[in-house]
Amino acid sequence: MTVAEIEAAGAWRDLGLPDGEYRAIVSALGRPPNWTELNMFSVLWSEHCAYKHSRRILKTLPTEGPQVLLGPGENAGVVDVGDPRLAVAIRIESHNHPSFVEPYQGAATGVGGILRDVLAAGARPVALLDSLRFGPLDDPRNRYLMGGVVAGIAGYGNCVGVPTVAGEVAFDAAYSLNPLVNVMCVGHLRRDRVARARAAGPGNAVLLVGAFTGRDGIHGASFASEELSEDSDERRPQVQVGDPFMEKKLIEACLELLERGLVVGIQDMGAAGITSSTAETAARAGTGMELDLDQVPLREPGMDATEILLSESQERMLVVVEPDRVPEVRAVCDRWELNAAVIGRVNGDGILRVRHGGRVVAEVPARLLAEGAPAYDPPAAEPAYLKETRRFSPARLPRPAAGDHLRNLQALLASPAIASKAWVYRQYDHMVRTDTALWPGAADAAVLRMKGSDRAIALKVDGNGRYCYLDPVTGGAIAVAEAARNVVAAGARPLAITNCLNFGNPEKPEIMWQFRGVVEGMARACRVLGTPVTGGNVSFYNETAGRAVYPTPVVGMLGVLESLAHRTTMGFKAPGDLVVLLGETRDELGGSEYLRVVHGLVAGEPPALDLDLERRVQGACLEAIRAGLVRSAHDCSDGGLAVALAECCFTASPGARGVHVKLAPGTARDLRPDALLFGESQSRIVLSLDVSDLPALMRVAEGWGVPAQVLGRVQPDRYTFAVTGGRPGRTTQEVLVDVAVAELERGWRDCIPSLMA
Amino acid sequence: MRFGVVVFPGSNCDLDAHHALGAVLGQPVRYVWHRETDLHDLDCVILPGGFSYGDYLRAGAIAARSPVMDAVGRFAEAGGLVIGICNGFQILLEAGLLPGAMQPNADLLFHCEFVHVRVENPATPFTRLCRSGQVLRLAIAHAEGNYYAPPEALQGLEERGGVVFRYCTPEGEVLPEANPNGSVANVAGVINEAGNVLGMMPHPERCAEEVLGSADGRFILESLLAGRTGR
């Protein structure tokens, strides 16, 4: 297409560029862009690459702290975990749209991409986590999506030998036509060897290392920047195909290059492939590049310049090297049977100048491409649905009859959102590398030792959509608080987060209102809990046929344990141990799983979050764990106290698989029994401990100003929940639930396997 | 006892085997690159788990034809000890160093979990510290661990004590429900006729430290060392 044809047809619109942005490009260049250049802009100025609608709001998140060695802006955040030698890199990313049209490859390449992001920080990937959301599993399409996504994550992660150590899976009709697939990667690196994604030093060689370049994934970034529709199946050719064996070799070779000090700058070729990696690394260094596309090894003949520049073929890295070290780089790559091609050199004039077939096909300022996209302040307006959802009051729910409690508990435990996820995590190799000291299903967070260090790290990925839908600010804060609480329950001090923000179309004021609220809530929680944001990803346009997903922030939390001895599991350990609740149960049923599963309602206000209480509960729990007072710890979350206690039973040691709760008079106050059992009041942790440690625990709780209440005791194999009423001296006891744990466990264990069979 | 851990480009349990033997058991251990052909300095070769060449064909099929495997064949013929773990077991089958073949797991899913295996033959260099019938808690992580041998071959294998480990319940009963992958006769590990080449799907190197959930793998790794002192 010639420039005249572009202008006549308004071709930029088909590429997703609005008229205003096209005019901005023309004025910055001083001429209209040619077809190749226009394509380059259309991808780098896409929402996916340029964060046009989110950039200004994201600036309000706290990103600094003494523990942050490298904050947002490059490939992964790098965090100081207090080890003199090793630091930890973290990053999360979404692969929602590709996973919807091709679940196996969509999810697999999501894993591949996030591994390379962490690799580009100079880190060896040591763990993967994933946060998945699907529509209800009674729909075969959702089963197909979940089966494919889980197999894709497993197929890629297992093969590259990076353990998938934790995750979450949630279900709601809001995700039926737009599943969420967020993958997090964690890596180790020497703290003095943080790699930079900068193409510094004019004259340096620019190498493409790894896979050949093909026609796959062209315009994938633009695909990620629009709503899905009935025609999205036609987007299947834009989904890339993963090759984990190539990735494994790429990881080993790049780590060897870094170890030998051969790397000036390094970046993954993800969205927009060669275009984004060259423009971004040059822009960060204030340089430009001369690129010769004839040097790019191609998978198929006849690819034109635009295709080569936009290809999103996987398993490729851009590496900037001093010219006289190129032979050494080649030698390392040869050993790993990897291709390494010099495709250009760094220049000093700031221009990305691309040649193909001997002539210049594109010539644009690197900084204009990488950083020149406009930032918008889109209008925000409160969504109309909130008037409806806020009107709900739990007081209008029928009070459950005596026999209802057991049935409701069983219904919750056997609902996919709460049921055992063993079917999922059994497909992931969560042990390879022999560092996994707390594995999926054992605790609220994964714990990994670091060979050669006294310290260990705790990892958790946690999101919530329903709370954010009902109240974005509170929901956003809870997403952070709960992830931190999980890490604390496993025995670690929360250090920093990475986040993935999944929302609908930001051009709609209601979506923008949700986005602003969620970020505000997250920012508050991060400040109070001392966990800065080290980077992340925004995924907009998660809508199909005009229906948006719930606003869903997903938080990847990193915590540190000073000693592996502090690692704490959720299962009860010995009969007779006391069961204690840290925190306070309030009359809160809004937004609960109980409302959704039992009453079919997504309504009300989510539970309130008192961030200062949250901080103190976490502080008390951690102090008690470090003092050796705690035998098990488990966060109270989806399904409330009754479900949390059941989970402590299911994961308990033999002979300690039951609980007898006997709430003393007055302690349950005037709570409705369903709020007591299933309400999701925040800032609560269930502990079990030896009877003799109770006084010490109470002193810890008092020191932090945290309510602590003895709920009852661990017993061998029955689940009994009783409330004592009346006045002291004249009490009456009401048994709400009394059942064999094996009977409760069956529904919890069999739910997902039987749906997926 | 000098150990060598073979590294194919897609091996990913090489590091774990090296750590278990070197850092945990304090033995001399080195990596053996897949193009090496000289193993004379070694007493025991480990073919570790992973996806040697991506395993896009059949697991282990390409690795079985790599230069190092010729050397491993000669090493075994000369009486050297060889353990193939997981992908290493698959490679030994593909290389014809052990009888039988691997199929995809019966449910077609990858399984990563702790299982129990019963020691069927304690009279091998790999199990001499175990009691007959002892139950070990070990980790598995594979998609193709569904061992198969035709009936006559299986019978021959059984008669000569070639089945070293069998999947069982925690109590040691060999039952279908204790079989994670559909393997014939619950076979989890087999040894060659000469008694120096072992293939097993469970990962003893992942179970050499309590912090990882089990240290039962040490019965197998330390059996090798006990053999040396007794020699």
Side-chain angles (χ1 to χ4, degrees):
Chain A
M1 212 175 215
T2 65
V3 168
E5 285 165 344
I6 292 169
E7 296 254 324
W12 55 87
R13 292 183 205 115
D14 293 338
L15 294 174
L17 283 172
D19 290 356
E21 291 181 17
Y22 176 73
R23 283 195 300 274
I25 292 165
V26 173
S27 112
L29 288 177
R31 62 174 170 85
N34 67 31
W35 175 243
T36 298
E37 292 166 338
L38 185 66
N39 273 275
M40 292 165 78
F41 276 104
S42 81
V43 183
L44 273 183
W45 285 26
S46 69
E47 186 64 38
H48 182 76
C49 290
Y51 295 87
K52 290 182 287 195
H53 289 86
S54 60
R55 222 187 305 159
R56 290 195 174 145
I57 297 166
L58 292 176
K59 287 219 167 77
T60 61
L61 288 167
T63 57
E64 285 172 6
Q67 69 273 50
V68 180
L69 300 179
L70 182 64
E74 293 194 15
N75 294 298
V78 180
V79 182
D80 181 357
V81 294
D83 185 80
R85 206 173 66 89
L86 288 176
V88 172
I90 54 173
R91 179 75 194 264
I92 191 169
E93 206 159 71
S94 62
H95 238 219
N96 303 339
H97 284 190
S99 301
F100 179 60
V101 293
E102 214 303 287
Y104 184 98
Q105 292 297 346
T109 53
V111 174
I114 199 68
L115 285 166
R116 291 190 300 278
D117 278 337
V118 163
L119 175 63
R124 171 175 284 281
V126 298
L128 291 162
L129 297 89
D130 51 83
S131 165
L132 311 177
R133 282 178 168 72
F134 302 102
L137 289 181
D138 46 19
D139 180 340
R141 167 136 197 131
N142 295 329
R143 294 200 293 273
Y144 157 76
L145 288 172
M146 174 153 126
V149 164
V150 170
I153 292 170
Y156 206 100
N158 296 350
C159 185
V160 294
V162 178
T164 301
V165 297
E168 58 158 0
V169 192
F171 303 91
D172 195 290
Y175 305 104
S176 273
L177 293 169
N178 199 314
L180 301 185
V181 177
N182 294 181
V183 189
M184 173 175 171
C185 183
V186 181
H188 287 169
L189 68 161
R190 272 180 48 179
R191 44 186 304 160
D192 57 345
R193 288 266 180 90
V194 178
R196 304 307 299 267
R198 289 169 187 243
N204 281 339
V206 177
L207 279 83
L208 192 166
V209 175
F212 284 27
T213 298
R215 284 197 167 99
D216 43 344
I218 291 170
H219 278 300
S222 307
F223 171 39
S225 306
E226 62 184 47
E227 293 180 28
L228 290 167
S229 69
E230 300 299 320
D231 305 327
S232 290
D233 269 359
E234 291 170 16
R235 291 291 203 168
R236 196 162 292 141
Q238 288 178 359
V239 178
Q240 310 86 339
V241 175
D243 177 354
F245 177 54
M246 177 69 80
E247 181 101 339
K248 165 76 176 154
K249 296 191 294 179
L250 189 61
I251 290 171
E252 299 301 337
C254 287
L255 288 172
E256 202 171 320
L257 296 177
L258 288 156
E259 179 66 32
R260 293 179 181 217
L262 297 172
V263 175
V264 174
I266 180 167
Q267 179 158 333
D268 164 39
M269 288 198 182
I274 293 177
T275 305
S276 66
S277 56
T278 54
E280 288 172 9
T281 50
R284 286 193 199 106
T287 58
M289 270 184 207
E290 309 291 326
L291 286 185
D292 181 0
L293 299 184
D294 296 319
Q295 304 308 315
V296 176
L298 300 180
R299 201 179 290 158
E300 52 190 315
M303 288 179 67
D304 66 27
T306 307
E307 289 173 319
I308 298 170
L309 283 164
L310 298 194
S311 163
E312 294 187 6
S313 288
Q314 297 289 292
E315 292 92 22
R316 299 180 301 162
M317 297 291 285
L318 184 86
V319 183
V320 179
V321 178
E322 289 172 11
D324 55 344
R325 319 281 316 253
V326 170
E328 286 173 79
V329 172
R330 284 197 203 281
V332 170
C333 293
D334 281 350
R335 187 173 127 85
W336 287 101
E337 296 167 24
L338 271 183
N339 204 72
V342 177
I343 62 166
R345 63 181 171 80
V346 178
N347 69 32
D349 66 8
I351 303 291
L352 185 60
R353 198 170 287 109
V354 185
R355 288 181 175 79
H356 189 227
R359 60 186 189 86
V360 173
V361 293
E363 195 170 20
V364 291
R367 201 159 255 173
L368 178 67
L369 257 182
E371 293 164 7
Y376 296 123
D377 265 324
E382 186 175 306
Y385 70 80
L386 281 170
K387 286 204 178 62
E388 191 61 33
T389 59
R390 281 188 192 134
R391 200 175 299 147
F392 169 81
S393 158
R396 283 186 306 181
L397 284 181
R399 251 184 124 78
D404 290 344
H405 304 305
L406 173 61
R407 202 163 45 242
N408 292 342
L409 176 58
Q410 283 176 315
L412 279 164
L413 289 170
S415 69
I418 289 175
S420 166
K421 305 301 185 298
W423 184 89
V424 175
Y425 62 71
R426 204 184 57 192
Q427 296 187 53
Y428 304 145
D429 189 337
H430 46 263
M431 306 171 179
V432 64
R433 299 189 56 78
T434 56
D435 286 329
T436 313
L438 287 183
W439 41 88
D444 284 359
V447 170
L448 273 72
R449 67 175 174 186
M450 301 203 295
K451 293 189 186 96
S453 170
D454 298 336
R455 300 198 158 215
I457 56 173
L459 302 167
K460 175 67 186 179
V461 64
D462 206 17
N464 79 61
R466 206 168 54 247
Y467 292 170
C468 291
Y469 175 74
L470 297 171
D471 177 351
V473 178
T474 303
I478 288 175
V480 175
E482 194 179 330
R485 204 183 307 138
N486 289 147
V487 158
V488 163
R493 178 166 55 90
L495 273 185
I497 73 165
T498 180
N499 66 78
C500 196
L501 306 175
N502 305 276
F503 287 77
N505 180 348
E507 296 157 48
K508 298 180 181 170
E510 313 80 64
I511 301 292
M512 213 54 221
W513 189 86
Q514 293 174 336
F515 184 73
R516 284 173 182 276
V518 164
V519 172
E520 183 187 330
M522 291 179 73
R524 278 188 207 166
C526 284
R527 286 203 174 85
V528 174
L529 300 176
T531 54
V533 179
T534 61
N537 166 233
V538 179
S539 173
F540 280 133
Y541 300 98
N542 288 294
E543 307 204 358
T544 299
R547 191 169 165 208
V549 298
Y550 287 153
T552 310
V554 172
V555 174
M557 179 71 67
L558 168 69
V560 65
L561 296 88
E562 270 143 36
S563 160
L564 258 185
H566 297 154
R567 72 190 193 281
T568 305
T569 52
M570 70 165 97
F572 293 137
K573 296 296 177 295
D577 278 358
L578 289 177
V579 179
V580 171
L581 180 71
L582 289 184
E584 203 176 8
T585 305
R586 293 180 290 254
D587 204 351
E588 293 174 311
L589 279 174
S592 63
E593 277 292 328
Y594 166 76
L595 272 195
R596 193 177 71 98
V597 171
V598 175
H599 295 282
L601 289 169
V602 174
E605 303 271 4
L609 178 67
D610 173 345
L611 276 168
D612 188 60
L613 175 64
E614 179 72 43
R615 184 185 60 80
R616 286 181 282 119
V617 166
Q618 293 186 17
C621 180
L622 199 52
E623 185 183 332
I625 286 174
R626 287 173 170 171
L629 305 175
V630 174
R631 287 193 162 165
S632 72
H634 185 29
D635 165 38
C636 263
S637 61
D638 291 352
L641 181 59
V643 164
L645 289 166
E647 290 167 342
C648 295
C649 294
F650 301 155
T651 54
S653 305
R657 294 168 53 81
V659 66
H660 192 160
V661 173
K662 240 190 273 186
L663 286 187
T667 50
R669 294 201 189 83
D670 303 323
L671 287 186
R672 293 166 55 105
D674 46 2
L676 172 65
L677 291 167
F678 308 122
E680 296 176 6
S681 290
Q682 293 297 298
S683 315
R684 294 184 300 164
I685 301 175
V686 174
L687 306 176
S688 73
L689 57 150
D690 188 87
V691 179
S692 64
D693 287 325
L694 183 65
L697 178 80
M698 289 316 224
R699 279 195 299 276
V700 170
E702 204 174 310
W704 285 90
V706 166
Q709 174 189 8
V710 176
L711 297 177
R713 284 182 186 258
V714 175
Q715 62 183 359
D717 55 15
R718 275 197 91 71
Y719 183 106
T720 312
F721 200 119
V723 182
T724 314
R727 301 186 305 273
R730 252 188 84 119
T731 58
T732 54
Q733 176 166 296
E734 188 187 356
V735 176
L736 301 180
V737 179
D738 181 43
V739 62
V741 168
E743 199 175 314
L744 281 183
E745 188 181 8
R746 204 173 307 122
W748 175 81
R749 187 188 56 216
D750 295 345
C751 166
I752 291 181
S754 62
L755 284 165
M756 294 303 291
Chain B
M1 195 86 182
R2 293 158 303 172
F3 290 90
V5 178
V6 176
V7 182
F8 297 101
S11 296
N12 61 33
C13 304
D14 44 344
L15 181 117
D16 303 352
H18 194 286
H19 174 77
L21 293 163
V24 179
L25 296 183
Q27 298 302 305
V29 54
R30 73 169 177 95
Y31 291 114
V32 178
W33 189 242
H34 61 104
R35 292 203 191 105
E36 283 186 45
T37 52
D38 183 358
L39 306 175
H40 83 275
D41 60 316
L42 303 174
D43 300 309
C44 179
V45 170
I46 315 273
L47 294 167
F51 292 70
S52 41
Y53 284 90
D55 289 348
Y56 298 140
L57 183 56
R58 284 188 317 275
I62 296 176
R65 284 145 188 86
S66 67
V68 77
M69 285 309 294
D70 285 335
V72 170
R74 289 193 300 274
F75 179 82
E77 212 164 293
L81 298 175
V82 178
I83 317 182
I85 301 165
C86 196
N87 190 229
F89 186 10
Q90 295 162 343
I91 294 168
L92 289 173
L93 295 172
E94 289 284 343
L97 291 171
L98 288 174
M102 234 24 121
Q103 305 177 93
N105 294 348
D107 64 5
L108 303 180
L109 299 176
F110 190 97
H111 279 242
C112 177
E113 59 195 321
F114 283 103
V115 297
H116 294 88
V117 299
R118 194 171 78 185
V119 178
E120 303 289 279
N121 181 355
T124 81
F126 311 95
T127 50
R128 67 178 89 222
L129 291 185
C130 304
R131 286 175 286 103
S132 181
Q134 183 174 347
V135 176
L136 304 178
R137 184 169 187 262
L138 297 175
I140 57 165
H142 60 251
E144 291 179 43
N146 181 357
Y147 180 79
Y148 178 77
E152 318 82 77
L154 184 65
Q155 197 187 337
L157 197 64
E158 297 274 14
E159 281 167 6
R160 68 169 171 81
V163 176
V164 182
F165 304 109
R166 246 188 265 274
Y167 300 109
C168 67
T169 65
E171 295 74 33
E173 288 178 280
V174 175
L175 297 173
E177 55 265 38
N179 185 339
N181 53 31
S183 185
V184 65
N186 282 35
V187 170
V190 301
I191 196 164
N192 66 342
E193 207 152 353
N196 64 330
V197 178
L198 173 75
M200 59 188 298
M201 288 316 291
H203 289 265
E205 84 286 4
R206 289 187 183 191
C207 301
E209 298 164 88
E210 282 297 348
V211 66
L212 303 174
S214 171
D216 283 0
R218 292 176 71 141
F219 283 103
I220 295 163
L221 302 177
E222 289 180 355
S223 284
L224 291 161
L225 310 181
R228 181 197 45 174
T229 49
R231 201 184 281 170

